[in-house]
Amino acid sequence: FPQHFATNFQPNTIAWLTSSAFVNPILDMLEDPLLAGAALQCASWIATLEDTDDRSSVSIPRQRVLHYIRHDMGVTTSESDRLAVVHALVQLSSITRLLDQVILSDELLRSCWWDMRRLSSPKLQAAILSSISQVLSRLSPSDAAIGIRLYTYLAMDNDESGTSTTDWLARKYSSSPMPELRIATYAVWTAVARLGSPGVTVLSTSAEFWNPLLEGPRETTTDARIAKYEL
């Protein structure tokens, strides 16, 4: 469900979509292995319809979704399960306060989203990086501190050496033979740069950042060339 659809709904439509009669059957589907992925997407969207904490019809699906991700899905290596979790957290992150105060403050939720230490699928890794660029690109320059915090956690949660996220991405993904990973890395960096001066500073102060741009091989695919040019 695209987030902008919610802005076109009448109040009575939102009230119906967030009512217990509509929400509870969807939440019950989280217990069904065949329907859980779709139910997670739907419930996470419903949880963003009203950005308040005093409406139980909204706060309950939000709590259930986060509890389900933490305790039922966990840091899964299953591609379908991880994608469902990633999509749900991206949806919930459309509420900036929820991203800042809940998701980024919870190490387990962060790991459920972007822990890539045990993932062998380059396409899944690229999808996770792309989800991060999607969330970063939705933040305004006034929310740059939240974006930089997210970006910083990415390496902290994936690399125990203490390297910066820019250096980690440059060494691990910007020179990958898989174009999907290079494109996703460029997209993350572009989103960080669009946060304004703080983002540009974070990128430009890393020597590793310039290597793939100035000294790396020429991109051979159209999508990768476009992504690099955007950056």
Side-chain angles (χ1 to χ4, degrees):
F1 300 95
Q3 181 66 22
H4 67 268
F5 281 2
T7 62
N8 299 323
F9 288 150
Q10 297 296 320
N12 59 337
T13 304
I14 294 179
W16 172 69
L17 287 169
T18 57
S19 67
S20 58
F22 184 84
V23 170
N24 287 344
I26 295 173
L27 296 178
D28 291 340
M29 292 178 192
L30 291 173
E31 307 301 324
D32 187 323
L34 296 178
L35 300 175
L40 182 61
Q41 302 311 301
C42 190
S44 62
W45 175 73
I46 291 171
T48 65
L49 286 178
E50 183 70 41
D51 186 16
T52 63
D53 291 323
D54 58 357
R55 294 271 305 271
S56 60
S57 58
V58 175
S59 62
I60 287 176
R62 186 179 299 175
Q63 294 166 5
R64 283 286 302 273
V65 165
L66 293 175
H67 182 276
Y68 181 79
I69 292 173
R70 290 188 189 101
H71 301 288
D72 292 274
M73 301 293 277
V75 188
T76 177
T77 58
S78 164
E79 184 166 343
S80 59
D81 289 345
R82 176 61 76 87
L83 285 175
V85 168
V86 168
H87 292 159
L89 289 173
V90 168
Q91 186 70 59
L92 292 174
S93 295
S94 64
I95 301 176
T96 304
R97 178 177 52 79
L98 187 62
L99 171 65
D100 182 33
Q101 299 179 9
V102 178
I103 296 175
L104 293 183
S105 299
D106 190 317
E107 184 177 355
L108 179 55
L109 282 177
R110 299 198 314 261
S111 295
C112 291
W113 183 350
W114 58 59
D115 188 322
M116 295 186 278
R117 288 172 291 186
R118 295 182 296 140
L119 299 183
S120 58
S121 169
K123 290 188 176 181
L124 179 55
Q125 293 172 334
I128 292 172
L129 292 176
S130 295
S131 75
I132 293 168
S133 68
Q134 180 181 347
V135 171
L136 288 172
S137 66
R138 289 196 302 226
L139 297 174
S140 65
S142 63
D143 294 319
I146 299 174
I148 298 302
R149 183 178 170 215
L150 185 159
Y151 183 69
T152 302
Y153 276 138
L154 182 57
M156 287 177 57
D157 295 336
N158 279 284
D159 190 306
E160 298 177 356
S161 67
T163 187
S164 71
T165 298
T166 305
D167 289 349
W168 177 71
L169 287 172
R171 296 168 187 168
K172 191 171 180 67
Y173 295 116
S174 68
S175 59
S176 168
M178 302 297 295
E180 295 92 342
L181 286 170
R182 299 197 304 275
I183 292 170
T185 299
Y186 295 148
V188 171
W189 283 342
T190 300
V192 171
R194 286 175 174 161
L195 291 173
S197 180
V200 172
T201 299
V202 165
L203 296 175
S204 62
T205 53
S206 167
E208 296 284 348
F209 171 71
W210 298 106
N211 292 337
L213 297 181
L214 303 180
E215 300 177 8
R218 181 178 181 275
E219 293 292 351
T220 57
T221 68
T222 300
D223 289 340
R225 285 198 297 270
I226 291 174
K228 192 172 185 178
Y229 178 79
E230 287 293 322
L231 174 60

